[in-house]
Amino acid sequence: MIFDIGYLVLLTALVLAAFGILAGYLGGHRRNTRLIQSSFNAVYAVAGLVLVASAILWYGLLSDAFQLSYVWNHSERALPAFYKFSALWGGQAGSLLFWCLLLSGFSAIVAFANRRHHQVLMPFVNSVLLTTSLFFLILLVFAANPFARVGFMPPDGQGLNPLLQNYWMIIHPVMLYLGYVGMAVPFAFAVGALISKRLDNEWVRTVRRWTLIPWMFLSAGIIMGSQWAYMELGWGGYWAWDPVENASFLPWLTGTAFLHSIIIQEQRGILKVWNVVLIWLTYFLVILGTFTTRSGVLESVHSFARSDVGPYFLVFLIIILFGFLWLLFDRLPLLRGEHTIDSYSSREAAFLANNWLFTGIAFATLWGTFFPMFSEILTGERISVAAPFFNKVNGPLFLLLLLLMGVAPLLGWRHTSATAFRKQFTIPILAAIVVGIFVFVAARSLYPVIGLAICGFVAAVIVQEYVRGALARRATTGENLLVAVVNLWSRNGRRYGGYIVHLGIAMIGVAVIGNEFYQQSLSVTLAAGESTTLGRYELVFQRMESNREANLIEFGAVVDAFSLDSGKQVGTLIPKRNIYDKTPDMPTSEVGLHMSPIEDIYVVLNGWDDGGASATFTIYVNPLTVWMWIGGIVLVIGTLIAAWPHSARRRTEAVRSLAYAAGDD
Amino acid sequence: MSVTLGILIALLLSGLAIAAVTWPLLKKGPAPVLIEDDRLTELLHRKEQVLASIKELEFDYRVGKMSEADYQQYDQRLRRQAIGLIQQIEQVAPESAGLDATLEREIEKRRLVKPTGTAIDEDAGMEAEIARRRRVLVTQPAAPVNGSAARFCTNCGATLAPHHKFCANCGTPIEQGEPSAAVETA
C-alpha cells in the first residue's frame, strides 16, 4: 500500500511540475506576480514530493520489501544497512529517482536563494529547472517505476552488484550526480536570459557561483571515481577512457571552458554567444552522459533497443538540441559583443585559446566515445577506440592547456607590453628550466621532462602571483603578509582561489605524468616465504588468510615490502579477493597498497593454489600517484575559496530591489 | 501502524503541495504586475561591471602586469565609461542614482582600511573620485568644457570672465596664463 502511495506521489509531482512550467513561463511573460509565486511554490512542492517518494523507497530497501522489483534486484537481507541505503542509486530506476531528488533539491535551493533577486529571470529559470525535473518524473512514472512489483513475495533479494559494495562507490555517484544536476542551474539561467532578453551580464554574474559548486562536485566525483578504479579494479591505473568515465569527463571539459569564458564576458563584454553555447553543450552532455550510462547504448546499439528509457532520452536530447538552437538564432542580434580583442598578448586571448583546447579535447573524446556506436550502425561491426587513441590525441592538448594555465595569469587584460612580459615571465621560466634539468638527470626521456617542467612553471607562477599580490597589499595597506594573503582571498577570491585550483591541477598533472611514463610492473607466482623484487623494493609473500563477513568471504595474501636501499620494512600489504555469497562467479579485487609521496607499491592478488601454498600476483610501482589525490583535495579547497560568498556584491541588488513595486503581501 | 501513519503523512504532504501551488492563483482581484525598469537595471549592471573592471585594472597594474602607458590609457577609457553610465542612470532614474551615492558612502564608511588614495583594490578612492566628478557635473552643468578653467581673482576671490585683464571688483591686474586659482571642471 505505502508503495502505491509512493507512485502516486511521483505522479502528483509530475502534474505539479508541468503546471509550474506553465506558471513560470506565463508569469514571467506577463510579469504576473501571482503566477510567478505559483511557479516558485511548484519548485518547492516538487522537491518535497520527490523527497517523500525517495523516503518511501529507502524505507522499502531498509525494511527488505522484496515484493518491489527494485529492492529484490538490488538488495538482500544480509546486506549491511549502509549499502541498503546506497542501493537507492545502485540500479536504474533508483538512480533516476535519486537524480530527480538532487535536481529538485538544487532547484528549490536556487529558487529560495533568489526569491527576491533577478525577478525577471527567475520565473523562466524555474520553468527550465522544472522541465528537467518533469523529464525525469516522466521516466519514473512511465518507463522506470521504482515502485513496480514482482508479483509475489520472494524470500530474499538478489544482492547488490559487488563492485558497488565499496565506500568510494557510495560517495562517488553522489558527487557526480550533484555535479551533473548542478549544471542544470547555469543552463536554466542562460535560457532564462535568452527568453527574457535580459542578455547583459546579470545572468553571467549570477551563475558564476552556481557553476563553481557543481564543477567542484563534478571534479571531486571524477577523482573519486578514479580512486575507486585504482583501488578496486586492480589493473594498476585509474583512468581507462571507458565510455562511462568519458560521460562524466565531457561535461567537465565544457563546464571548465565555460567557467573561464564567462570571466572574459564579464571583463570585456565579448563571447556572449559562445558562453550560452558552452553551457548548453555542458547541459546537453550531462543528459547525454546520463543517457549513455543508463541506456547501454555504448555497450551495444542492440541493448539500447531493449532499454526502456532509451527512446525517452533520445526525444529529450532532440528537444534540447533544436529548442535551444531555435531560441539562440532568434536572439542572436541581441548577443553582439561590445568590444573586440585588442591584442594577442592579452589575458582574454589566452583564455580564448584555453576555450579552444577544452572544446577540442571534448570533441576528440566525444568522437572516440561514440565511434564504436557509429561503426556498428554503419558497418554492423563494432570497432572500439582504445586508450592509446585518447592518449595520443588528448595528451599533447592537455600539455598545451597546462602551459596556458601558467601563461594566462601572467598576462594583463587587453594588452601586455614587452616590459611587463619580461617582468612576469623571468622567474617562472627559470623555475621550469631547473625542474626540467632535475628531471632530465633523474630519467632521460623527452615528454616527462617537458611535462614536469611545465608543472614547475605553473607552480612558480602561482607562488609569484601570491607573493606579488601580497606585497602590493602590504605596500598600500601596511598589512603583514599573512593577513594580506587572507585578504587576497576575501577581496579577489575568484582569482586567488582559482590559482589554488590550478595548483591542484598541476599536482594531478604530475601524478598522470609519473604514472604514464614511469610505471613498472611484474606478474609473478610466489610460494609462501618466497620473495621477488621490483624497482627499489623486495616483496615477500608470507601466507594466505581468510575472513568471513556478513555476505561475503574475504581472502587476503599477506605481503611484506622491504626497501632495497635501506633493508628496512616499509609496510605490509594485504591484497584481497572477495567472494560474494550471491554472486560467487564475480569475485572482486581489493588491492594491497602502500602509498608514499614518491611512489606507491600496488599489489593485486590474481589467484592462489593448494589452499594458499602459492599465489599469483601482479605488482606495480606507481610513481607520484598520491599527488592525484592530494591535488584533488587542493582543487576542492581552491574552489571553495573562489565560491565563498562576500556580502559587498549584494549592492546592485539592494539598489535594484527598490525599483520594484511591492508585491501582493 | 507505522505504515498507516506513513501513508497518512504522504497523502497529507501531497495535498499540501497541491495547495501551495494553486494558492497564489486563488486570490481575488487583479494580479499585481512586477514593475522593473529594464533599461535602468541594465545600466546599473553595466556600471557595476565597469567599476569592477577599473578595480581589476588597477590591481593588475600594481602587480606589474601592465605598463604605465597601457594602464593610463585603459583607466581613462573605463572612467569615461563609468561617468557616462552614471549620467545615463541619473537621467533614467534620478532617485536611484541618489540612492546609489548613499550606498557608496555607506560602503566607504564601513571600510576597515582608510582610503588613502593609493589603496589598491579598495574601490573607495576610485568611487570617491567618480562621485566627486559627478558632483561637479551635476552642480556645474554649464561649466565650460575643452579643459578651459573658471578663473578667480587672487586678491578678492571674485569670478573673472575669460577676457578680463583686471578684476571687476577690486581692480587687481590679472596675469594671463596664471592658473594658481583655477579650478578644473572636467
Side-chain angles (χ1 to χ4, degrees):
Chain A
M1 176 64 184
I2 184 151
F3 302 114
D4 297 329
I5 299 285
Y7 186 74
L8 274 179
V9 166
L10 286 178
L11 199 62
T12 317
L14 186 152
V15 174
L16 290 183
F19 185 85
I21 293 167
L22 279 178
Y25 184 76
L26 290 176
H29 230 64
R30 299 179 187 165
R31 303 205 169 177
N32 177 323
T33 51
R34 285 181 193 164
L35 280 167
I36 293 173
Q37 188 56 50
S38 178
S39 84
F40 273 88
N41 290 358
V43 172
Y44 305 141
V46 168
L49 291 174
V50 176
L51 181 64
V52 171
S54 309
I56 293 175
L57 190 59
W58 262 315
Y59 167 76
L61 283 162
L62 291 168
S63 67
D64 295 327
F66 298 122
Q67 72 269 32
L68 292 185
S69 117
Y70 186 79
V71 180
W72 181 52
N73 279 313
H74 299 101
S75 183
E76 62 178 311
R77 286 187 196 282
L79 195 68
F82 197 45
Y83 293 121
K84 284 183 182 170
F85 182 80
S86 70
L88 186 80
W89 53 91
Q92 173 149 301
S95 69
L96 292 173
L97 178 63
F98 189 60
W99 221 103
C100 196
L101 173 68
L102 295 179
L103 175 67
S104 57
F106 237 107
S107 312
I109 293 169
V110 172
F112 187 76
N114 292 298
R115 66 198 184 283
R116 303 208 197 295
H117 311 294
H118 315 296
Q119 309 221 1
V120 173
L121 285 180
M122 277 316 287
F124 301 111
V125 172
N126 288 342
S127 282
V128 178
L129 289 172
L130 282 172
T131 307
T132 315
S133 290
L134 177 70
F135 167 67
F136 281 91
L137 286 164
I138 287 174
L139 286 180
L140 289 166
V141 167
F142 297 108
N145 175 12
F147 300 106
R149 285 161 188 276
V150 186
F152 61 100
M153 181 68 188
D156 195 3
Q158 303 186 333
L160 185 65
N161 184 340
L163 281 178
L164 304 182
Q165 297 187 38
N166 171 279
Y167 59 99
W168 288 112
M169 258 298 142
I170 294 187
I171 185 87
H172 151 74
V174 179
M175 292 286 145
L176 270 190
Y177 283 5
L178 281 171
Y180 265 19
V181 160
M183 287 297 179
V185 176
F187 175 70
F189 270 95
V191 173
L194 285 171
I195 297 177
S196 64
K197 302 187 184 173
R198 243 333 154 60
L199 290 159
D200 56 37
N201 278 340
E202 180 182 13
W203 78 272
V204 168
R205 285 165 60 82
T206 312
V207 300
R208 180 204 294 166
R209 203 159 284 128
W210 290 108
T211 316
L212 270 173
I213 295 300
W215 183 86
M216 178 187 80
F217 283 124
L218 196 55
S219 312
I222 291 170
I223 289 167
M224 285 177 181
S226 333
Q227 176 83 328
W228 171 77
Y230 189 63
M231 304 285 208
E232 291 300 305
L233 299 182
W235 52 274
Y238 44 84
W239 190 264
W241 296 104
D242 89 48
V244 177
E245 287 171 341
N246 294 349
S248 63
F249 194 46
L250 285 166
W252 186 89
L253 289 167
T254 52
T256 313
F258 176 74
L259 272 176
H260 288 91
S261 72
I262 54 175
I263 302 176
I264 320 183
Q265 177 170 344
E266 274 186 55
Q267 285 293 332
R268 307 283 293 117
I270 49 179
L271 299 185
K272 290 180 175 178
V273 178
W274 178 237
N275 280 328
V276 285
V277 167
L278 266 184
I279 195 61
W280 160 69
L281 268 179
T282 306
Y283 177 77
F284 184 84
L285 290 169
V286 159
I287 303 292
L288 186 73
T290 315
F291 164 63
T292 49
T293 47
R294 283 292 143 219
S295 68
V297 65
L298 289 175
E299 281 78 56
S300 161
V301 281
H302 306 296
S303 78
F304 166 67
R306 285 197 303 275
S307 149
D308 293 332
V309 296
Y312 288 88
F313 269 104
L314 213 54
V315 170
F316 189 54
L317 284 169
I318 290 169
I319 292 173
I320 299 170
L321 191 68
F322 290 103
F324 177 84
L325 286 178
W326 173 80
L327 188 62
L328 180 66
F329 280 112
D330 193 63
R331 300 293 195 262
L332 219 42
L334 300 169
L335 286 163
R336 276 195 312 269
E338 291 155 25
H339 307 276
T340 49
I341 288 191
D342 292 352
S343 155
Y344 286 103
S345 68
S346 65
R347 200 179 305 158
E348 55 266 40
F351 271 45
L352 203 60
N354 138 317
N355 268 245
W356 289 334
L357 285 170
F358 269 114
T359 28
I361 295 170
F363 274 105
T365 308
L366 190 69
W367 171 250
T369 309
F370 281 88
F371 185 76
M373 190 187 85
F374 294 132
S375 76
E376 188 174 349
I377 291 171
L378 294 175
T379 64
E381 200 179 337
R382 202 171 175 74
I383 302 161
S384 278
V385 177
F389 163 80
F390 291 104
N391 288 337
K392 201 167 254 172
V393 176
N394 288 344
L397 294 179
F398 272 119
L399 211 58
L400 277 177
L401 209 48
L402 212 55
L403 183 66
L404 267 184
M405 198 170 88
V407 171
L410 298 179
L411 303 173
W413 294 110
R414 299 170 188 84
H415 177 70
T416 309
S417 65
T419 351
F421 214 79
R422 261 198 303 282
K423 198 170 159 192
Q424 293 292 325
F425 279 80
T426 315
I427 296 172
I429 287 177
L430 285 177
I433 292 171
V434 170
V435 173
I437 291 172
F438 186 76
V439 177
F440 187 74
V441 170
R444 285 150 206 272
S445 42
L446 184 63
Y447 269 117
V449 169
I450 297 174
L452 292 173
I454 291 176
C455 290
F457 177 74
V458 171
V461 166
I462 294 161
V463 172
Q464 174 180 296
E465 282 291 293
Y466 265 93
V467 169
R468 293 212 167 138
L471 286 177
R473 278 199 75 86
R474 188 175 69 175
T476 51
T477 63
E479 301 163 346
N480 73 47
L481 286 179
L482 205 67
V483 176
V485 167
V486 173
N487 276 330
L488 287 176
W489 287 338
S490 68
R491 298 273 170 182
N492 200 347
R494 184 152 60 144
R495 183 190 287 193
Y496 285 92
Y499 289 155
I500 302 278
V501 175
H502 283 184
L503 191 65
I505 299 281
M507 288 175 175
I508 293 172
V510 167
V512 171
I513 294 166
N515 215 280
E516 197 62 39
F517 292 97
Y518 299 119
Q519 186 183 58
Q520 294 170 286
S521 71
L522 166 77
S523 278
V524 65
T525 303
L526 297 174
E530 250 185 338
S531 72
T532 184
T533 59
L534 180 67
R536 300 185 294 129
Y537 303 97
E538 180 180 22
L539 295 124
V540 186
F541 168 47
Q542 304 289 9
R543 63 182 180 281
M544 288 292 299
E545 56 185 29
S546 71
N547 184 23
R548 175 75 217 176
E549 297 277 331
N551 60 338
L552 60 103
I553 305 176
E554 237 177 39
F555 294 94
V558 180
V559 177
D560 287 329
F562 298 89
S563 162
L564 284 178
D565 303 334
S566 66
K568 285 190 187 135
Q569 181 168 354
V570 285
T572 299
L573 296 87
I574 308 183
K576 290 174 186 164
R577 286 258 151 183
N578 296 340
I579 314 272
Y580 288 80
D581 301 344
K582 297 281 165 169
T583 46
D585 51 334
M586 280 174 72
T588 62
S589 171
E590 199 84 44
V591 303
L593 192 60
H594 177 269
M595 286 190 172
S596 81
I598 307 288
E599 57 199 4
D600 291 358
I601 315 171
Y602 179 104
V603 182
V604 184
L605 174 65
N606 297 324
W608 57 94
D609 279 327
D610 307 327
S614 72
T616 311
F617 301 95
T618 307
I619 305 165
Y620 297 87
V621 172
N622 292 325
L624 303 169
T625 309
V626 73
W627 292 100
M628 173 161 290
W629 325 126
I630 296 173
I633 294 165
V634 170
L635 178 150
V636 168
I637 293 170
T639 319
L640 287 176
I641 292 171
W644 207 260
H646 299 290
S647 52
R649 294 189 180 138
R650 292 271 166 216
R651 227 142 50 91
T652 330
E653 296 295 332
V655 178
R656 268 187 38 206
S657 60
L658 282 160
Y660 295 123
D664 260 70
D665 23 34
Chain B
M1 179 57 202
S2 64
V3 174
T4 329
L5 192 69
I7 293 172
L8 278 177
I9 291 172
L11 285 175
L12 189 73
L13 288 173
S14 303
L16 268 177
I18 296 170
V21 176
T22 45
W23 189 252
L25 305 175
L26 298 175
K27 290 183 183 164
K28 294 208 171 64
V33 172
L34 187 68
I35 301 165
E36 186 178 317
D37 188 334
D38 289 350
R39 171 97 185 113
L40 175 63
T41 314
E42 193 195 333
L43 286 170
L44 288 171
H45 280 138
R46 291 181 55 163
K47 190 200 83 171
E48 189 81 354
Q49 194 49 57
V50 172
L51 294 186
S53 292
I54 295 177
K55 247 172 80 175
E56 174 111 355
L57 187 76
E58 184 173 359
F59 191 77
D60 274 352
Y61 169 62
R62 287 191 184 271
V63 293
K65 291 199 175 89
M66 306 222 103
S67 65
E68 170 86 34
D70 280 346
Y71 170 64
Q72 293 296 350
Q73 182 199 342
Y74 295 127
D75 188 58
Q76 287 304 316
R77 197 196 285 178
L78 286 168
R79 275 165 204 265
R80 274 199 301 276
Q81 278 178 22
I83 292 167
L85 285 167
I86 290 167
Q87 282 174 313
Q88 288 183 63
I89 290 168
E90 275 163 3
Q91 279 167 9
V92 175
E95 75 288 356
S96 152
L99 175 74
D100 205 27
T102 321
L103 269 174
E104 279 173 20
R105 271 199 297 280
E106 188 64 25
I107 286 159
E108 275 175 46
K109 243 192 290 174
R110 287 192 201 165
R111 225 173 278 280
L112 288 172
V113 185
K114 289 246 159 53
T116 55
T118 53
I120 40 165
D121 67 338
E122 327 301 335
D123 45 1
M126 172 192 70
E127 287 191 13
E129 192 202 325
I130 289 173
R132 184 182 62 75
R133 292 187 188 195
R134 181 173 58 195
R135 274 196 292 281
V136 173
L137 286 165
V138 172
T139 49
Q140 305 185 355
V145 278
N146 303 335
S148 60
R151 296 187 305 157
F152 302 93
C153 172
T154 47
N155 183 41
C156 70
T159 313
L160 304 169
H163 59 275
H164 283 178
K165 293 199 167 65
F166 297 91
C167 170
N169 188 37
C170 67
T172 310
I174 311 297
E175 289 186 34
Q176 289 299 315
E178 183 189 45
S180 59
V183 173
E184 289 277 339
T185 51

